[in-house]
Amino acid sequence: MNTLIGVALAVCLSVVQTIQDVDSPSQASTETKQVSQNTELEKLKEDPLYPFIDKQNQTKVENGMTYIVNEDNLLILANKKFLMQKTYIPADLVVPNVAFSFGDTTIEKAHMRKAAALGLEKMFQGAKSSGYELYAVSGYRSYKRQQEVFDAEVAAKGDAKAREAVAYPGTSEHQTGLAMDISSKSQDFNLTESFGTTEEGKWAKENAHKYGFILRYPAGKEAVTGYQYESWHFRYVGEEAATIIYQNNWTLEEFFDHVKALDKKVQQAEAKS
């Protein structure tokens, strides 16, 4: 009797072990898949663009127009597709300690948001150390002032031509307080394409990223930005983003196209994990 019980017990243990052996490959496969998915997500998070996912525009649509909600975002993307509200005025506007092409620095165009102003000061000092003198020409511009500038351009050149050269109110980067038009003595402080051919303009284009700025409307990118080449218009985005944009020869639009693509991959990876 004891022998029979022993044999039966051995058979049962053998069956249990067999079941466990059958289940193990499946369990291992699931665990391997989970590890692979986690690895994919971690790899995506190591992408240099990952920190900028939450810096994308947050928007709302009103009367067929797309308005930016997070207007204080230092990487705000304001263009012909994304508008700022007419009531938006940056709360931290200051006057940067740099040389201006005009005398009265109490007027609004002498102002910039604090982070941009500090970056501009460093940029101008960097230029001076390299033997170049830069001059600030036009910074912050209110919605009201932009309306006046745009209307004057329409009166002079017509609506179609005006929209190519001057931002429609609400779409101007100058309203963000993060942009500054720059010139030099050699250009009589004027804002012309030829500034880009001057030694000062060349230095600014090649070194602005070191101080957090990008040449916002480069030549050859008109179809992307929606604006003509502006050798004088520099926009603050912070040193990290500016360096990435410079190294890849991107516009701010292209930068966020890549950020958006990464965001989509991250969301897909998170859904799988």
Side-chain angles (χ1 to χ4, degrees):
M1 179 62 71
N2 289 338
T3 300
L4 290 175
I5 292 175
V7 171
L9 181 59
V11 170
C12 289
L13 290 173
S14 177
V15 170
V16 170
Q17 184 62 48
T18 300
I19 293 175
Q20 289 177 341
D21 289 343
V22 171
D23 287 343
S24 294
S26 176
Q27 182 178 356
S29 176
T30 300
E31 291 175 352
T32 299
K33 185 177 180 180
Q34 184 67 46
V35 170
S36 177
Q37 290 170 346
N38 290 340
T39 301
E40 178 187 2
L41 182 57
E42 289 306 313
K43 185 176 181 180
L44 289 171
K45 288 183 177 181
E46 293 174 0
D47 191 297
L49 295 178
Y50 181 77
F52 302 104
I53 288 178
D54 63 356
K55 299 299 182 181
Q56 297 178 89
N57 282 348
Q58 296 173 19
T59 61
K60 65 178 181 180
V61 178
E62 290 183 358
N63 300 319
M65 307 292 282
T66 302
Y67 290 94
I68 303 166
V69 175
N70 55 332
E71 293 163 310
D72 284 332
N73 174 20
L74 287 177
L75 271 85
I76 181 175
L77 176 60
N79 56 25
K80 294 180 179 180
K81 295 180 180 179
F82 302 108
L83 286 73
M84 287 170 287
Q85 299 171 81
K86 64 175 62 178
T87 56
Y88 177 65
I89 300 175
D92 58 347
L93 292 172
V94 298
V95 177
N97 184 22
V98 299
F100 287 89
S101 64
F102 51 91
D104 185 3
T105 57
T106 64
I107 58 179
E108 69 176 30
K109 71 176 183 178
H111 292 71
M112 296 185 80
R113 289 190 60 186
K114 187 175 182 179
L118 293 174
L120 193 74
E121 291 173 358
K122 293 178 182 178
M123 179 176 169
F124 276 41
Q125 183 58 51
K128 189 173 183 179
S129 297
S130 298
Y132 305 110
E133 281 190 291
L134 299 177
Y135 288 82
V137 178
S138 185
Y140 171 68
R141 191 180 303 152
S142 64
Y143 184 98
K144 179 181 178 182
R145 177 54 183 157
Q146 187 66 33
Q147 183 73 65
E148 295 171 351
V149 172
F150 181 78
D151 290 345
E153 193 75 7
V154 170
K157 301 180 180 179
D159 187 81
K161 287 294 182 181
R163 289 176 184 268
E164 291 179 4
V166 178
Y168 188 79
T171 69
S172 172
E173 280 205 327
H174 285 284
Q175 190 183 346
T176 69
L178 297 169
M180 179 60 77
D181 291 337
I182 298 171
S183 190
S184 61
K185 285 182 180 179
S186 64
Q187 295 296 294
D188 294 325
F189 311 115
N190 292 316
L191 302 177
T192 61
E193 283 191 12
S194 58
F195 173 68
T197 66
T198 66
E199 292 304 311
E200 296 92 343
K202 291 176 182 177
W203 184 92
K205 178 184 177 182
E206 295 303 321
N207 292 277
H209 65 282
K210 299 174 183 177
Y211 309 96
F213 285 86
I214 59 172
L215 179 64
R216 183 64 179 88
Y217 306 118
K221 299 282 190 174
E222 292 84 355
V224 179
T225 64
Y227 290 104
Q228 298 173 344
Y229 166 49
E230 293 189 359
S231 63
W232 60 86
H233 184 108
F234 289 84
R235 158 68 195 275
Y236 184 80
V237 293
E239 292 179 28
E240 188 175 355
T243 299
I244 293 173
I245 290 171
Y246 172 79
Q247 292 176 340
N248 289 280
N249 192 32
W250 288 340
T251 62
L252 191 56
E253 283 81 5
E254 291 169 317
F255 173 81
F256 274 114
D257 282 344
H258 285 85
V259 171
K260 184 177 181 180
L262 176 64
D263 186 15
K264 184 176 181 180
K265 291 180 180 178
V266 170
Q267 291 183 39
Q268 291 173 338
E270 288 176 337
K272 293 177 183 178
S273 62

